[in-house]
Amino acid sequence: MLESMPGRGERLRFGGIKHTRHPASQERKMSSYQTEAAVPRHESSCYTVWFRHGAERATVCGLIVALLGGLPSHVAFAEQAPGAATPATSSTSPQPSRPAITRADLAAAYLRLEQAFFCRPLPPEEVARINKGFDQATQAFFLGSNAEAIRRIDSLTESLEPEERKPSERGILSLRVIVDPPVLLANTPQQVVCRVTSIYDWPAHDPTTSDLRLRLVGPQDRIAMERSVAVPLGKGSTIDIRVLLEPAADRLAPGLYRIELAPDEGHGVAMARVHVIDGAALDQQQLANDKRLQQVDVRQGQLARALAICRARNRLLSDHPSEDNSAQFLADLNRLASDVASETSALESGKNPYWNRPGDYWRVLEVGTREIPLRLYVPKGAAGETPTPLLVVLHGMGGDENMFFEAYGAGLIKSLADQKRLIVASPLTYSFGSDIKTLHALIDALGNDYSIDRDRVYVLGHSMGAGAASGLARGNSDTVAAACCIAGGRFQPAQDSAPILVVSPELDGIVVPKRLQESARQAISEGMPGELKIMPDYGHTLAVGAILPEAIDWLLRHRRATSP
């Protein structure tokens, strides 16, 4: 909201998502916020709000507001998501409170939609409908209405699935399962409590009780155990059911398991993960690794960086992984524990365990005293002596370093990296920002482990990440060969800027397409090297997966114009 302040500028109400990371535990949390601030009126100014809370550091990347001619440029948010319910007072006795919605809940709904949307071609009118609906869900998310956001996303997912599914099968998406404990020991008899609750009221016309199957499903889709559970579905139904699973020891081989809910006949929906660990408990393994790593004597150089990476990866090992830290809730903790143990042994032998390491893994980038979370993918053919192009991808607000590898086209970036022989690095955008020194630090760090073609370093960003990408490209053609900005960015002609492909989804409900296009056209007409592409039928976020193949081909046609 803008309030006029004659002679002083504008008064802005900022709303968005606050990300916090505790320095000791590294646990990350997300919450919504609103605040107001008086800001001066400047042409093409950009404002980012920062908060600091005691022992926690919080970076707030809410509405990054650009003022063009005194009006908010690009960003468009409603005061309330269309169709969102207005809170009302009630004199009735309070219902039992639902557990807080976590990043894992939001991620599960989003990933289900991505998989349903990108698994097959859709007619243009369906593409447009889904994109408009997802942008409305995004607005609800930014306004802190997480249950409403998930409800809208689930409704879109259901609309893409076969209509012959039973009502009880559709209602499953409104539920969640909380598992205690989420980490078990292999070949050991244990009890698992599964708490079935609702995220939102499923909009059935009449309340009904559905007989569902709750399953513990292991590797190769082997059912380790299942129980029946009667779940009341429908508006006003209070769901808080605890189901006890006691799988036999010989049914718990090491591996990654999932908890499913399914109707008596039909496909199950994955609701939670269970990690069955080989060896000691993860907390014990983490402590043992930490003691060994403390004895590794490296003070600088390549092994010092490798030691920092190994320590950060070791901190992810926990018997109670956080559902607000995607580096934990998306990980296969059994595999991670095995990898960290091997990495620790390599460091004890004076070897760098990340030297030419292929595959997909999580690590950190040290920049001064900061550690920036980073997801990296290296195709098998790229781990060698031949210089390989590097693509740095920057996610949008509300996302994190795992978003490009799990979403944005259901993880399409990895198959494109295989096809094009690209190393892909996805840092946490909030920490990475648009400082060229941070990009130099990333290139140097990866250059110690891989053969990077420094003439072909590319940056691609979405929304907030597009703003960072445009900043990295501006005036830095000696580092960045080309950049792509999807649904965002700040554009102005500058000497020695890298070429920029600006992608504007025509139905964008978050960033105003007309203003983004006008800004890009003006900068290009004034000398900014680049192109503008308008995407019909697509909205703010789902456009990323659709444009990635074309965007990467465009980037790869460019090389660094000058040498440093």
Side-chain angles (χ1 to χ4, degrees), residues 158-370:
E158 289 175 345
S159 73
L160 291 171
E161 294 178 344
E163 293 185 2
E164 62 268 18
R165 297 186 72 172
K166 297 179 180 179
S168 61
E169 195 172 352
R170 291 180 176 272
I172 289 174
L173 294 186
S174 68
L175 305 174
R176 64 184 297 202
V177 178
I178 302 171
V179 180
D180 184 28
V183 177
L184 308 176
L185 297 181
N187 304 314
T188 303
Q190 289 165 94
Q191 293 184 339
V192 181
V193 177
C194 297
R195 183 183 178 189
V196 182
T197 68
S198 55
I199 297 175
Y200 54 86
D201 289 337
W202 186 59
H205 295 293
D206 298 308
T208 181
T209 298
S210 295
D211 293 323
L212 303 177
R213 308 294 293 178
L214 190 147
R215 301 168 179 159
L216 177 63
V217 184
Q220 289 80 50
D221 293 329
R222 177 171 173 257
I223 298 177
M225 189 176 183
E226 67 178 335
R227 290 279 304 275
S228 61
V229 54
V231 178
L233 292 172
K235 188 173 183 179
S237 299
T238 300
I239 302 172
D240 196 344
I241 304 168
R242 286 168 172 79
V243 181
L244 180 64
L245 297 181
E246 297 181 277
D250 61 358
R251 306 287 290 179
L252 287 178
L256 180 61
Y257 291 63
R258 66 183 183 273
I259 295 291
E260 283 187 354
L261 277 177
D264 283 336
E265 296 180 4
H267 298 289
V269 177
M271 308 299 290
R273 285 182 164 195
V274 176
H275 305 268
V276 179
I277 303 301
D278 189 16
L282 289 179
D283 287 348
Q284 295 177 10
Q285 292 191 48
Q286 187 203 75
L287 287 173
N289 292 336
D290 189 56
K291 289 180 180 179
R292 294 169 61 190
L293 291 170
Q294 288 178 16
Q295 302 302 314
V296 176
D297 185 18
V298 291
R299 293 180 175 83
Q300 60 184 359
Q302 192 178 77
L303 283 183
R305 281 186 285 266
L307 179 60
I309 294 169
C310 189
R311 282 176 169 160
R313 286 168 57 78
N314 186 50
R315 287 194 295 267
L316 296 178
L317 299 179
S318 172
D319 292 326
H320 296 88
S322 170
E323 292 207 337
D324 284 315
N325 183 353
S326 66
Q328 285 186 314
F329 70 70
L330 290 173
D332 181 341
L333 295 179
N334 195 60
R335 177 181 173 184
L336 178 63
S338 176
D339 288 348
V340 170
S342 298
E343 293 158 21
T344 301
S345 296
L347 284 164
E348 289 174 327
S349 301
K351 299 177 182 178
N352 177 5
Y354 311 108
W355 170 257
N356 272 339
R357 174 176 177 167
D360 174 5
Y361 67 105
W362 184 94
R363 57 188 280 174
V364 293
L365 168 68
E366 284 192 309
V367 181
T369 59
R370 294 182 297 145

Side-chain angles (χ1 to χ4, degrees), residues 149-162:
I150 293 175
R151 186 194 67 78
R152 287 177 174 273
I153 294 170
D154 286 346
S155 177
L156 295 171
T157 302
E158 289 175 345
S159 73
L160 291 171
E161 294 178 344

Side-chain angles (χ1 to χ4, degrees), residues 380-420:
K380 289 183 179 179
E385 296 182 0
T386 304
T388 303
L390 171 64
L391 173 62
V392 180
V393 289
L394 301 168
H395 62 82
M397 183 170 65
D400 59 36
E401 71 275 12
N402 293 296
M403 194 161 177
F404 266 97
F405 292 95
E406 304 292 338
Y408 283 150
L412 175 65
I413 195 77
K414 291 200 289 186
S415 63
L416 292 173
D418 287 334
Q419 295 170 24
K420 308 297 182 181

